[in-house]
Amino acid sequence: MRYPTIKILAVLTILSFSCMGCRAGNSSSPASEPKVKTTKKAPKTTHNTAKPLTLSNSQLQVIEVRSEKMGRSISNLVVLPEQYLNDSTATFAVVYLLHGYSDNFMAWQNHVDLTKHANKRGFIIVCPDGQDSWYFDSPIDPTFQFETYVTQELRSYVESHYRTINDREHRAITGLSMGGHGALWLAWRHPDIYGMCGSMSGGVDITTIKDHYKIDKRLGKYAANEALWKSHSVMNLVPTLKNDQFIIIDDGTSDIFIKDNRALHAALQQHKIKHDYRERPGRHSWDYWTKSLENHLTAFFCHIQMVEMGDC
């Protein structure tokens, strides 16, 4: 049995807005904000944990996955839907959910009850610890190789230890701020892996940031490495894209990155790349992102349904 499917998930949830709304161009009515969970510190894990560390809720597991390329282990949160625990034969779509700068793998769960989202749509949600990496392989620091880690090493672990549907149409990646840039970077460089991707308030053009948020620690100072910065900016990947992915991008109208996101939207339009772009009132804040997450997961759910019905 595979999740999500229309017949099974129809009894689990009524979507907050219709699939037609999922694919609307620039605006939608935001879903109600999920109940915020009390913030907790990231739990400690044992190096190279052989079995997942289960938190108080059995749907939440912390896994330590070793990166051979970096020579160290990284913590990750795996959120399982109730259906996973109740049906030992079912398989599930996976959403990789990336955190922002200065946060860690527990950031999303500390602000949003991810189990409710997992239950509602039958998704396995995986939250890697991105460690201010911007989610690319640093050409100057061998201990920060997070493109390889997320796309290869972590994905391989997840798909060999959990019952996942291992095709691109059932694999999505999205994130906020630094994680928004990271999600598009990884998806657009690896379209064979991710059929769906998104960005919430993403810092989508790192050349406009210049030597902030530790990007210079990963690429060197901008003034001396301008070409390297340009080659690692999501904005400059647009000409390489094909219309073979579902893309959703949104930002708050008062966000620090709104100009860059509007520029990205314009570039995608210029190159005739299909995408769902939205703006809503809001700033660079968790209040905005908790609502965006509802929209992104609903859009991914709708897209998977249409793929399974043969409408895409």
Side-chain angles (χ1 to χ4, degrees), residues 64-273:
E64 289 263 311
V65 178
R66 181 170 177 79
S67 168
E68 294 302 327
K69 189 168 185 178
M70 291 188 280
R72 59 194 180 101
S73 293
I74 308 294
S75 298
N76 311 267
L77 176 68
V78 176
V79 185
L80 302 174
E82 286 180 331
Q83 304 96 300
Y84 189 98
L85 303 178
N86 296 333
D87 185 345
S88 62
T89 63
T91 55
F92 299 82
V94 182
V95 177
Y96 290 84
L97 183 58
L98 309 185
H99 65 76
Y101 173 79
S102 79
D103 250 323
N104 60 43
F105 69 103
M106 288 296 293
W108 275 104
Q109 178 60 25
N110 286 342
H111 291 85
V112 184
D113 186 353
L114 293 178
T115 63
K116 290 184 179 180
H117 286 293
N119 294 343
K120 185 174 182 179
R121 299 171 184 86
F123 288 157
I124 294 175
I125 300 174
V126 180
C127 301
D129 197 326
Q131 301 182 3
D132 298 338
S133 65
W134 286 80
Y135 299 99
F136 46 62
D137 285 355
S138 169
I140 64 174
D141 187 345
T143 67
F144 274 77
Q145 305 294 301
F146 279 82
E147 179 174 349
T148 295
Y149 178 71
V150 175
T151 61
Q152 297 180 28
E153 296 170 322
L154 175 60
R155 181 173 62 87
S156 176
Y157 182 97
V158 168
E159 293 179 359
S160 63
H161 287 76
Y162 295 92
R163 299 192 309 276
T164 59
I165 304 174
N166 299 331
D167 63 53
R168 66 188 297 273
E169 299 302 343
H170 291 84
R171 194 183 295 117
I173 187 167
T174 189
L176 67 89
S177 195
M178 178 188 80
H181 182 280
L184 297 182
W185 172 262
L186 297 177
W188 290 355
R189 283 175 54 84
H190 301 275
D192 58 318
I193 295 176
Y194 305 102
M196 301 170 286
C197 59
S199 172
M200 315 172 206
S201 308
V204 294
D205 187 353
I206 62 172
T207 66
T208 68
I209 301 172
K210 294 188 179 67
D211 299 332
H212 293 291
Y213 309 115
K214 296 184 180 178
I215 305 176
D216 59 330
K217 303 293 184 183
R218 315 299 165 224
L219 299 176
K221 293 293 185 180
Y222 179 80
N225 299 278
E226 183 175 346
L228 196 59
W229 279 62
K230 288 181 178 179
S231 68
H232 282 74
S233 182
V234 158
M235 181 68 72
N236 295 318
L237 292 181
V238 172
T240 70
L241 300 181
K242 299 178 181 179
N243 278 311
D244 61 351
Q245 290 174 304
F246 176 81
I247 302 169
I248 178 170
I249 298 168
D250 73 85
D251 201 4
T253 53
S254 300
D255 190 85
I256 58 175
F257 294 134
I258 186 60
K259 291 183 179 179
D260 291 343
N261 277 275
R262 287 171 177 168
L264 178 61
H265 173 46
L268 290 167
Q269 288 181 314
Q270 179 183 355
H271 286 83
K272 296 180 171 54
I273 303 299

Side-chain angles (χ1 to χ4, degrees), residues 16-17 29-39 97-98 103 106-114 116-117 120-121 125 174-177 199-201 250-252 255 278 280-298:
S16 58
F17 49 90
S29 299
S32 59
E33 183 175 350
K35 184 177 179 180
V36 176
K37 187 173 181 178
T38 303
T39 301
L97 183 58
L98 309 185
D103 250 323
M106 288 296 293
W108 275 104
Q109 178 60 25
N110 286 342
H111 291 85
V112 184
D113 186 353
L114 293 178
K116 290 184 179 180
H117 286 293
K120 185 174 182 179
R121 299 171 184 86
I125 300 174
T174 189
L176 67 89
S177 195
S199 172
M200 315 172 206
S201 308
D250 73 85
D251 201 4
D255 190 85
R278 310 179 186 193
R280 291 183 288 108
R283 298 181 180 276
H284 211 70
S285 69
W286 279 103
D287 179 66
Y288 182 88
W289 300 322
T290 54
K291 295 169 184 174
S292 285
L293 180 62
E294 173 74 22
N295 294 342
H296 281 229
L297 294 182
T298 301

